[in-house]
Amino acid sequence: MVIMKCPNCGVENDDNALYCYFCGRVLPQKEWNISADPDSDLKKKKSNRILKIMLGILGGLLAVSLAFLAVMIVRDNKKTDPEPVDMLELANKLYEEKDYMTAATRYELVLQDDPDNEEAAVGSAMSKLYFISEELGRYVMDEEYREASEYMRDFLINDQIEDANELGLEFPIICETMYGKVGFYLDSEDRCYAYVGDFEDGIRSGFGCIIASDVSDFIHGTIECYAAYGQWKDDMPNGQMEVIKDSTTNDHTYIKGTVKNGVWTGCCLAD
């Protein structure tokens, strides 16, 4: 009988013993016998080869994932730490794109840091006038003349015209809009109004509408809102002319008649 000595404790065991009866250690001969099958070794080698291939693939995928993650981190860092924006350049771009109100806010940001920036001051004034002119053109196209006059008053058009005057902008200031041309005027008594309609060589000629707000004695009495529309020629009203006004008592007056070179030649008054 072959005796197998335990390598751990030295106790002798029977040849067919799988474990040492004294310390419980697996006997080495039996460990070899368990894996002595040549097919088992071949399977183990194949398993090892497949494992290496899988580890290689996983390693490659991990490398690609890490590279992608690094790119995303760099991109996120760029987003959270953007390049400084030239606010004046951005405002000019918005103005060219006809986003006038947003442009005006950007010009104002420039003026907060640099109050003497003339380009930003002019840009801000023109952006506001263009924004107003778009709304005035829409009102006139829809024949909402009283609403247009009230809009000028609510938007403090007098203050906008005063700012433009202080900047030395030449009057009339004519703005091109999708609803036609709008001209802003400032007369000798510092009263301002807008004209929406046809121009010829920079002067009013054709159908148009004058809109004013907070104007005193424009026709007679004290007038808060005023609108007059009809035919113009050589910068003066000629032909049929209609006037809508609101007095300080909020009474609505409607005047219709004919005008020649700015002088009423015949009219009637109706409520």
Side-chain angles (χ1 to χ4, degrees):
M1 181 177 64
V2 179
I3 300 299
M4 175 63 67
K5 185 178 288 188
C6 178
N8 183 49
C9 63
V11 173
E12 294 180 349
N13 293 270
D14 293 336
D15 177 51
N16 59 355
L18 295 175
Y19 305 95
C20 176
Y21 74 88
F22 184 77
C23 69
R25 173 73 178 269
V26 177
L27 298 177
Q29 184 177 0
K30 294 303 177 183
E31 287 180 342
W32 180 85
N33 288 337
I34 293 173
S35 60
D37 185 1
D39 292 337
S40 177
D41 285 343
L42 183 59
K43 291 178 182 179
K44 185 183 291 185
K45 288 180 181 180
K46 289 182 179 179
S47 298
N48 289 339
R49 189 181 304 115
I50 293 172
L51 180 61
K52 288 180 181 180
I53 293 173
M54 293 299 296
L55 289 175
I57 293 173
L58 290 175
L61 291 175
L62 180 61
V64 172
S65 300
L66 290 174
F68 177 76
L69 181 61
V71 171
M72 295 303 296
I73 290 173
V74 170
R75 185 177 299 175
D76 289 341
N77 288 338
K78 288 182 178 180
K79 288 181 179 179
T80 57
D81 187 19
E83 293 293 329
V85 176
D86 187 328
M87 193 60 66
L88 183 58
E89 183 179 340
L90 175 60
N92 289 335
K93 184 174 182 294
L94 290 167
Y95 182 87
E96 291 174 1
E97 294 174 351
K98 299 182 180 181
D99 188 355
Y100 297 117
M101 185 50 65
T102 309
T105 60
R106 298 301 185 272
Y107 283 124
E108 291 298 326
L109 290 175
V110 175
L111 291 171
Q112 288 180 12
D113 296 331
D114 184 8
D116 298 326
N117 192 310
E118 185 176 352
E119 183 180 357
V122 171
S124 176
M126 290 301 299
S127 295
K128 293 172 184 176
L129 290 179
Y130 257 105
F131 180 80
I132 295 171
S133 67
E134 291 282 0
E135 292 299 305
L136 290 179
R138 182 180 65 81
Y139 278 124
V140 171
M141 187 181 71
D142 294 339
E143 298 183 355
E144 298 175 348
Y145 302 109
R146 291 179 60 194
E147 290 82 352
S149 183
E150 291 167 0
Y151 174 79
M152 288 184 65
R153 180 188 60 192
D154 295 341
F155 209 91
L156 304 176
I157 184 62
N158 298 55
D159 293 341
Q160 310 300 336
I161 295 296
E162 182 179 344
D163 290 344
N165 188 38
E166 290 178 354
L167 290 169
L169 296 179
E170 184 178 352
F171 288 90
I173 301 172
I174 300 177
C175 299
E176 298 274 358
T177 77
M178 63 183 298
Y179 304 105
K181 294 182 179 179
V182 179
F184 294 97
Y185 292 77
L186 181 67
D187 66 20
S188 58
E189 299 182 16
D190 293 333
R191 294 180 299 195
C192 61
Y193 57 94
Y195 172 86
V196 182
D198 299 323
F199 284 83
E200 185 175 318
D201 297 329
I203 61 175
R204 294 164 289 188
S205 187
F207 182 84
C209 178
I210 273 188
I211 307 166
S213 64
D214 297 325
V215 179
S216 176
D217 295 326
F218 201 98
I219 300 180
H220 57 81
T222 301
I223 301 167
E224 285 187 351
C225 296
Y226 174 90
Y229 61 95
Q231 291 297 320
W232 293 71
K233 183 179 180 181
D234 298 331
D235 214 34
M236 297 191 71
N238 278 272
Q240 190 69 34
M241 183 65 61
E242 300 182 16
V243 176
I244 300 171
K245 73 181 183 70
D246 284 329
S247 67
T248 53
T249 59
N250 292 323
D251 292 332
H252 172 235
T253 302
Y254 178 71
I255 304 173
K256 182 176 181 179
T258 57
V259 177
K260 183 176 182 181
N261 294 331
V263 178
W264 287 90
T265 60
C267 66
C268 59
L269 186 65
D271 288 334

